[in-house]
Amino acid sequence: MGSSPNSKPKIVRGTAGYVLEDVPHLADYIPDTPTYTNPLQNNPAYSVVKQYFVHVDDSVPQKIITNKDSPRGIHFRRAGPRQRVYFEADDVQAAIVTCGGLCPGLNTVIREIVCALYHMYGVKKVLGINGGYKGFYAHNTISLTPKSVNDIHKRGGTILGSSRGGHDTTKIVDSIQDRGINQVFIIGGDGTQRGADRIFEEIRRRRLKVAVVGIPKTIDNDIPVIDKSFGFDTAVEEAQRAINAAHVEAESGENGIGVVKLMGRYSGFIAMYATLASRDVDCCLIPESPFHLEGPGGLFEFAERRLKENGHMVIVIAEGAGQELVSESIQSMHKQDASGNKLLQDVGLWISQKIKEHFSRQKTMNINLKYIDPTYMIRAVPSNASDNVYCTLLAQSAVHGAMAGYTGFTSGLVNGRQTYIPFYRIIEGQNKVVITDRMWARLLSSTNQPSFTIAKTISEEKREDEATGEQ
Ligand SMILES: Nc1ncnc2c1ncn2[C@@H]1O[C@H](COP(=O)(O)OP(=O)(O)O)[C@@H](O)[C@H]1O
Ligand SMILES: O=P(O)(O)OC[C@H]1O[C@](O)(COP(=O)(O)O)[C@@H](O)[C@@H]1O
Ligand SMILES: [Mg+2]
C-alpha cells in the first residue's frame, strides 16, 4: 500500500476568478479503475432527452448576484448522469441509512434512491441500515426493492428508523467492508454529514472502492450552502395549522394571547417563514435575534400595546430563542443529547409563564393565554408535493454521482440547480437567519414587532448618556 491519499480540497481555478470547489472521485486514489457506458444511454425514457448527460465541465455558481467587475467566484460541480460510469450494475451493493431527527421527506428520498438505482442503472442489491449509524454494527439490515418502498413516500418518519449518537467510524467502515457495500447513501443533518465525512476519510485511507454520498436533511434549514433543505416547505405549511389555531383561540378570548413554539435549535427559519406566510402573527422570536421582556422596547410593553389595539395577539417562538434568558431563571444543566447537541429548556412554557406572571402583577388586564407546542407533529408528517419533487431530484442526483464514481460529497440544490458539494463545505458552519438581511426586515415590517436589539441598544446608550450627563 502506498502513501496516505491526499484529502486536501480539490480546487480548480479558471479564468476571470473562476473557482471550482470540486468533489473527490474514486479515481483520485484508485488508479486505472475501469469505466463502463452509462446504461441510461439505452433507456427509452431518457435517450430521447436532448443532452441528457451532463457535460463534464458544467458547474453552478454559488453567488448569482454579480456586477461587471466582480470575479466569477466559487462554483460547484453540476449534478446529473455522466456518459461513463464506474460501476457495473451487478457489482453494486448499495446501502441507505437515515440519522438524526425526523424530517418530512425521508421516506421519499429512500424510495427514490432505490428506484433510481433499479430503474435507471439496473442495480438490484440495495440494503437499508436500521436505526442510524449504529445500525451498521448493532442492528439487522433490510433488503429494499422498488416494490417494498412503493408507497412509503405517503408516510411520515423513516421506514429505516433513525438515531442520535453511536458513530463509531472504524466499526462502521469495517461493516461496510465486510458486507461488500460499495455505495453508501447517508441521509441526515449537519451531525450526520460530519459523520459521513469521517467515514469517507477512513474509506479513502483504506483505498476502498466505495462511494460515500450525503443527502442533507434538516427541518431547521440550518445546513449551509444549499438553497433550502427538503421537508422545510412541508414544515412551514404544517406550522400554519398551529398558528391558525392559536389565532382562533386568541381572537375568541378576552385579551387572548396565542403562543406557538416551532422547531429551530440554532436557526429560526421555520418560525420566520411560518410568520411571513401566516400574516396572523404579531411577534416572532428566533435564536438569532435576542429579545428582552421588561422595560422600554421589551416584549411585555409590546404585548400590552397590541392587546389594547387589537384585543388579541399571536406570538411564534423558535425553540432556541431566548435560551440565555431561560437559563437565567431556570437552573441550566448544560445537558446534551447522544449526538452532543445542546438540550434546550422549553422556551414556550417559560415565556407563557413569564407573560402570565407579568399581567397578573400589573393587574391592569386579564389575559387568556393558550400555549400550543406542535413541534413533533410538524416533524412527523409526510412531505408535501413540492418537497416530494425536491426529494426525488436530490435522490436521483445522489445516485448519478455515485455511479459516476464521485464520492465524499453531498447532493444539494444551489441557486435552483442540483450540485455536488464537498463535505467540508457542508460541515464548516451553520445556516442562520441574518437579521440585517432584507428577509428579516420584511418580517419586522409585516408584524410591526419591536426590533429588540435596536431598542435595547438605544435605551442602553440613553442610560449611559444620562449617567455621563451627555445629551
Ligand atoms: N462530529 C461528528 N462526527 C461524527 N459523527 C457525528 C458527529 N456529530 C454527529 N455525528 C453523528 O451523526 C448522527 C446524527 O447527528 P445529530 O446531530 O443527532 O443529527 P443531525 O445529523 O440531524 O444533525 C449521530 O449518529 C451522531 O453520532
Ligand atoms: O427530540 P429530538 O429527536 O432530539 O429532536 C429535537 C431536535 O431535532 C430537530 O428537529 C432537528 O434537529 P436535527 O436536524 O439536527 O436532527 C431540532 O429542531 C430539535 O431541537
Ligand atoms: Mg443537527
Side-chain angles (χ1 to χ4, degrees):
M1 203 169 271
S3 62
S4 173
N6 185 1
S7 67
K8 277 206 299 236
K10 273 170 82 177
I11 308 285
V12 180
R13 290 181 198 281
T15 53
Y18 172 94
V19 178
L20 172 68
E21 293 210 13
D22 205 0
V23 294
H25 193 280
L26 294 172
D28 295 347
Y29 63 90
I30 312 174
D32 308 320
T33 326
T35 66
Y36 312 92
T37 306
N38 191 326
L40 278 169
Q41 200 145 303
N42 307 317
N43 184 320
Y46 300 100
S47 53
V48 290
V49 181
K50 225 171 133 195
Q51 286 199 325
Y52 187 70
F53 295 108
V54 166
H55 190 277
V56 69
D57 284 337
D58 280 358
S59 61
V60 177
Q62 184 175 16
K63 286 202 175 117
I64 50 169
I65 310 283
T66 57
N67 58 50
K68 67 181 169 50
D69 298 323
S70 47
R72 292 174 67 199
I74 292 170
H75 292 64
F76 298 110
R77 196 169 271 285
R78 183 181 172 196
R82 289 353 199 214
Q83 299 269 6
R84 309 289 301 169
V85 292
Y86 279 70
F87 292 92
E88 274 193 304
D90 289 346
D91 294 339
V92 176
Q93 170 67 78
I96 307 175
V97 65
T98 50
C99 311
L102 295 184
C103 177
L106 282 165
N107 280 334
T108 314
V109 176
I110 298 169
R111 181 191 192 279
E112 295 307 321
I113 292 173
V114 175
C115 291
L117 284 165
Y118 259 73
H119 299 315
M120 291 180 161
Y121 290 99
V123 170
K124 299 282 184 294
K125 289 176 282 179
V126 187
L127 280 181
I129 307 294
N130 265 318
Y133 276 134
K134 61 179 76 136
F136 275 104
Y137 56 87
H139 297 300
N140 292 328
T141 56
I142 52 168
S143 164
L144 301 172
T145 62
K147 202 163 174 223
S148 71
V149 298
N150 184 42
D151 62 357
I152 62 169
H153 61 295
K154 295 175 188 162
R155 281 180 253 160
T158 155
I159 57 154
L160 299 178
S162 187
S163 66
R164 299 197 188 272
H167 186 281
D168 184 321
T169 315
T170 309
K171 280 191 191 170
I172 292 170
V173 178
D174 285 350
S175 156
I176 288 171
Q177 216 171 343
D178 292 348
R179 293 173 198 271
I181 294 167
N182 50 17
Q183 292 186 5
V184 196
F185 296 94
I186 301 174
I187 313 167
D190 55 337
T192 307
Q193 303 299 316
R194 275 189 193 94
D197 184 48
R198 305 248 303 253
I199 293 171
F200 160 67
E201 289 296 345
E202 179 59 17
I203 280 175
R204 176 147 72 173
R205 197 188 63 78
R206 297 188 195 182
R207 295 179 190 271
L208 305 177
K209 189 185 171 189
V210 180
V212 183
V213 181
I215 292 116
K217 168 246 53 159
T218 154
I219 199 169
D220 294 352
N221 201 33
D222 57 3
I223 294 188
V225 186
I226 59 172
D227 292 353
K228 69 174 171 185
S229 46
F230 73 80
F232 178 70
D233 267 2
T234 307
V236 170
E237 205 170 291
E238 198 60 21
Q240 301 302 298
R241 287 148 59 91
I243 295 173
N244 279 343
H247 188 232
V248 169
E249 287 286 347
E251 258 190 335
S252 312
E254 191 194 351
N255 293 319
I257 302 181
V259 176
V260 179
K261 185 178 80 170
L262 297 176
M263 273 185 175
R265 201 188 266 130
Y266 306 108
S267 309
F269 286 102
I270 300 180
M272 177 169 82
Y273 276 81
T275 298
L276 278 166
S278 147
R279 304 279 162 173
D280 281 337
V281 179
D282 294 270
C283 187
C284 172
L285 302 168
I286 59 168
E288 295 88 338
S289 176
F291 62 93
H292 57 287
L293 301 176
E294 318 261 358
L299 183 69
F300 295 155
E301 183 193 74
F302 173 65
E304 280 171 30
R305 198 167 64 238
R306 243 333 122 85
L307 290 177
K308 276 185 198 139
E309 285 164 7
N310 294 349
H312 68 276
M313 77 179 292
V314 174
I315 299 171
V316 163
I317 186 158
E319 62 178 342
Q323 283 296 314
E324 63 297 336
L325 298 178
V326 189
S327 45
E328 269 172 26
S329 50
I330 305 175
Q331 267 294 315
S332 173
M333 308 301 277
H334 299 296
K335 282 192 187 147
Q336 292 185 332
D337 69 14
S339 295
N341 300 303
K342 195 170 135 194
L343 277 178
L344 304 175
Q345 309 276 3
D346 190 333
V347 72
L349 273 180
W350 171 83
I351 205 159
S352 300
Q353 194 53 37
K354 286 283 168 191
I355 295 171
K356 282 182 191 165
E357 282 169 12
H358 170 78
F359 282 99
S360 80
R361 259 197 324 267
Q362 291 293 95
K363 296 197 175 72
T364 47
M365 257 182 216
N366 278 329
I367 61 153
N368 262 301
L369 187 144
K370 301 286 185 293
Y371 170 47
I372 300 179
D373 177 353
T375 44
Y376 289 104
M377 293 184 72
I378 288 173
R379 229 172 54 160
V381 299
S383 46
N384 67 12
S386 90
D387 271 327
N388 268 340
V389 175
Y390 183 21
C391 290
T392 305
L393 296 184
L394 282 173
Q396 291 186 355
S397 298
V399 169
H400 290 314
M403 289 301 297
Y406 293 114
T407 181
F409 73 89
T410 299
S411 162
L413 200 68
V414 174
N415 295 316
R417 293 296 187 149
Q418 293 290 331
T419 65
Y420 299 143
I421 306 161
F423 280 146
Y424 69 87
R425 284 303 308 272
I426 288 289
I427 61 180
E428 71 188 355
Q430 259 168 344
N431 189 28
K432 286 187 187 273
V433 172
V434 180
I435 58 167
T436 47
D437 263 8
R438 282 195 189 82
M439 214 56 186
W440 187 244
R442 283 184 191 109
L443 180 135
L444 293 180
S445 86
S446 95
T447 58
N448 242 324
Q449 71 192 65
S451 168
F452 297 99
T453 337
I454 298 167
K456 196 166 184 213
T457 319
I458 292 170
S459 76
E460 273 167 9
E461 277 171 8
K462 226 168 128 192
R463 267 206 306 276
E464 275 169 31
D465 287 351
E466 278 162 9
T468 55
E470 283 176 31
Q471 285 304 311

